[in-house]
Amino acid sequence: MLRKLAIAFGVLVLVAGAGIVLLYRDVTTLSHQAVSADVELVQAGGINGNVAVLRTDDGAVVVDTMTLRAQGARLRELAEKLGGGPVQLVLNTHYHADHSHGNPGFPVGTRIVATKRTREYMLGVDGAYWRGEGVWSVLGSDVTGTLPNDLVEGEEVREIPVGGKTIRVLHPGRGHTGGDLVVLFVEDRVLHMGDLLVVGTYPSIDLEAGGSVAAWIATLDRVLALDFDRVIPGHGPVTDRAGALRFQAFLREVWELARQAAAEGLSLERTQEVARRSLTADAGFVPLGLPPIFVLDRDFVVRRAWEEATGAVRVSPDPAG
Ligand SMILES: [Zn+2]
């Protein structure tokens, strides 16, 4: 009996081990596709944010670094192949783990651009990771060395020349968080919007870090005023101006519903019932997440909008000012 149990346990350990290996392989295997002559979209499985690699005469420019240090390291290798040489510049669209925790896969001293507010969120709400505290101490001290070190402030529009290309970056306003950066590859007319845009799925709204459904709508107007053809969203397939407008229409619909619910004093449950009957702009959206840890779906977005509209969650102050 004991022997059988021992064998069963051994099999279980093997299966679990194989599962972890497969999962690790899945998230560290990178695929890529051309978006323009010199811009590649790089993706991995799961909830990893979309990465852009720009090829220049001097080497690669990388937007976002996915979730794991190991992914960052693989991303760096791939970027050097796709981007014409060593990585010259990394940008973080915002502080969330699935867009920035791969930074330590790049050498300490790499130029890393983000908004000042993003760096504050990294050292604030995500401080344990970036200071290498607690469980993160296994990563070693150089995590701190790959925090953003070139910061965009307020309404500054930064033009960064690299190897014959122009990278234009700006913070168009609050939305997904209070510190999102959009990155325009000027000559290629490709825009990376980070999580200010997700395609075919539901957005996260980080009210606790400056996010706002209400502000997001006007923020998208400022993004749409830029000169571009193709858009890389934070999650989902490459789209265009029309794709960004569809997403904006969904936010508008949700915010209008939440605003009315707040004016009429509707409970969250009642608001979600109304949403189930009346929202149409999210036709075809599928939930995104890591159940049971978190799921981004229609109920989630409606809850966040209701919390903002009713004041049930105090939205953090406007980071711009
Ligand atoms: Zn995000």
Side-chain angles (χ1 to χ4, degrees):
M1 183 63 191
L2 265 180
R3 197 179 133 82
K4 274 187 185 164
L5 266 178
I7 291 170
F9 182 72
V11 168
L12 200 71
V13 168
L14 277 177
V15 169
I20 289 167
V21 168
L22 285 175
L23 185 71
Y24 183 79
R25 211 178 58 183
D26 182 43
V27 296
T28 53
T29 300
L30 306 176
S31 65
H32 62 95
Q33 65 183 82
V35 181
S36 70
D38 289 321
V39 176
E40 293 273 331
L41 164 67
V42 182
Q43 294 180 300
I47 56 153
N48 292 289
N50 285 335
V51 169
V53 174
L54 171 72
R55 179 169 32 245
T56 85
D57 293 341
D58 291 343
V61 174
V62 178
V63 182
D64 284 349
T65 61
M66 297 189 181
T67 318
L68 305 172
R69 182 190 195 128
Q71 285 176 317
R74 290 199 183 194
L75 209 48
R76 179 189 165 207
E77 274 173 37
L78 180 62
E80 290 187 349
K81 285 189 199 120
L82 298 174
V87 174
Q88 299 295 328
L89 171 68
V90 171
L91 303 103
N92 291 130
T93 58
H94 63 294
Y95 83 94
H96 287 157
D98 54 326
H99 298 259
S100 69
H101 276 198
N103 283 15
F106 292 80
V108 169
T110 301
R111 182 182 184 188
I112 303 181
V113 169
T115 62
K116 181 166 174 263
R117 183 55 59 152
T118 284
R119 186 181 152 108
E120 285 168 9
Y121 295 139
M122 285 170 168
L123 287 168
V125 284
D126 201 19
Y129 181 80
W130 292 102
R131 279 190 294 270
E133 292 167 359
V135 293
W136 300 115
S137 58
V138 296
L139 290 173
S141 58
D142 51 343
V143 175
T144 306
T146 55
L147 276 161
N149 48 28
D150 186 356
L151 305 179
V152 175
E153 288 191 51
E155 293 181 1
E156 177 190 2
V157 179
R158 180 86 67 91
E159 302 255 341
I160 309 172
V162 179
K165 297 280 192 182
T166 316
I167 298 102
R168 183 175 298 153
V169 298
L170 65 137
H171 166 61
R174 312 172 71 178
H176 172 63
T177 72
D180 299 75
L181 189 78
V182 295
V183 181
L184 178 63
F185 300 122
V186 174
E187 291 80 7
D188 291 76
R189 302 180 59 81
V190 175
L191 181 68
H192 193 315
M193 282 179 62
D195 283 355
L196 279 174
L197 177 68
V198 293
V199 173
T201 185
Y202 292 89
S204 154
I205 303 126
D206 196 341
L207 299 180
E208 291 74 10
S212 162
V213 183
W216 199 331
I217 298 161
T219 292
L220 289 177
D221 282 334
R222 287 189 282 276
V223 175
L224 285 158
L226 297 169
D227 203 13
F228 62 89
D229 295 325
R230 307 200 75 194
V231 185
I232 298 174
H235 298 268
V238 172
T239 186
D240 54 15
R241 206 164 271 281
L245 281 166
R246 274 195 297 277
F247 180 71
Q248 188 186 35
F250 169 63
L251 290 180
R252 218 176 244 134
E253 199 180 33
V254 171
W255 181 246
E256 187 51 32
L257 181 117
R259 211 180 49 75
Q260 269 185 31
E264 291 166 21
L266 296 191
S267 68
L268 173 60
E269 292 66 30
R270 186 83 189 89
T271 306
Q272 283 178 330
E273 270 173 45
V274 175
R276 271 173 222 130
R277 279 203 313 272
S278 63
L279 288 188
T280 56
D282 59 345
F285 284 24
V286 294
L288 174 75
L290 272 183
I293 304 168
F294 76 95
V295 178
L296 305 175
D297 56 11
R298 176 191 273 190
D299 279 356
F300 170 84
V301 175
V302 171
R303 174 167 65 78
R304 297 260 73 183
W306 180 88
E307 286 168 342
E308 182 178 350
T310 59
V313 167
R314 212 178 79 79
V315 178
S316 65
D318 184 350

